[in-house]
Amino acid sequence: MAYKLEKPYTDKQRADFIVNYNHKQGLMIEETDDALYALLANEMMQNNIPVINENYETEVQQERAAKFKSEFFETSLGWIRRKVNMKDGSKKDFLSDMLLQIKAGIELGKTIEIITYSTPDFSQELTAEYIVTLQQKKNATLEFIQECLLQSVADFYGN
């Protein structure tokens, strides 16, 4: 249940409440005519009273999906991470830094293995550890290269 600081309160009590519940714990602060509230993640204000947000789980899953889709793009081989980690610890943009080398390798008859990802279960928190469990190594194909090029064009034009 939400934390509450009833009026009247001093400026110091108000500041301490905000520091404790918002700055330290990350809770949303709402002020009404009667009190100051620190809402838990699954709460919202309704008629100046904290209530449980019945859509909270759905909203969290939608946020997780949106974040995932901003960091990955989908292909016929699976999801591809936009920013990839290189063995030397550096990061590269998959589409702009890696795609032409992969394409050249395929055209030279080489087998180019890439890391793809399965679609996550968005009801779970998308931790780095969980994302690693979704990895699969697959061989890049010319169809995959075409999909990546189309994704690059879509990113450029905003489609």
Side-chain angles (χ1 to χ4, degrees):
M1 194 59 150
Y3 298 95
K4 180 179 180 181
L5 178 62
E6 291 190 34
K7 289 185 179 178
Y9 45 77
T10 66
D11 287 343
K12 181 174 180 355
Q13 288 171 317
R14 183 180 191 279
D16 289 346
F17 185 87
I18 292 171
V19 166
N20 186 39
Y21 293 109
N22 178 259
H23 299 181
K24 291 183 179 177
Q25 297 182 40
L27 302 181
M28 177 74 74
I29 303 295
E30 292 283 342
E31 190 165 16
T32 67
D33 292 338
D34 302 322
L36 193 62
Y37 292 94
L39 302 178
L40 300 178
N42 67 339
E43 295 177 320
M44 62 184 205
M45 293 299 285
Q46 193 170 59
N47 300 322
N48 288 326
I49 300 170
V51 296
I52 300 295
N53 177 357
E54 300 295 332
N55 299 318
Y56 176 73
E57 286 301 321
T58 300
E59 291 169 4
V60 167
Q61 289 180 29
Q62 289 171 344
E63 288 171 12
R64 288 177 181 154
K67 184 178 186 310
F68 180 82
K69 290 175 183 177
S70 73
E71 296 174 3
F72 294 78
F73 63 94
E74 192 171 21
T75 71
S76 59
L77 298 180
W79 290 89
I80 304 297
R81 187 183 290 273
R82 289 180 174 275
K83 301 285 184 198
V84 295
N85 298 316
M86 304 303 287
K87 283 186 180 183
D88 67 1
S90 65
K91 283 196 179 264
K92 300 247 184 201
D93 182 280
F94 186 87
L95 292 173
S96 63
D97 297 332
M98 305 297 302
L99 188 58
L100 290 179
Q101 291 89 331
I102 294 169
K103 181 179 184 290
I106 291 173
E107 289 171 349
L108 291 171
K110 302 287 183 191
T111 299
I112 308 295
E113 198 171 61
I114 58 169
I115 296 175
T116 67
Y117 296 81
S118 301
T119 303
D121 174 358
F122 295 113
S123 67
Q124 294 187 47
E125 188 174 343
L126 301 183
T127 63
E129 295 81 13
Y130 175 55
I131 295 294
V132 167
T133 69
L134 303 174
Q135 288 182 350
Q136 299 174 355
K137 290 183 179 179
K138 296 189 179 170
N139 294 332
T141 64
L142 289 176
E143 176 187 6
F144 169 76
I145 297 298
Q146 183 68 27
E147 292 170 335
C148 291
L149 290 170
L150 290 173
Q151 181 64 54
S152 186
V153 169
D155 289 351
F156 180 75
Y157 288 108
N159 295 345

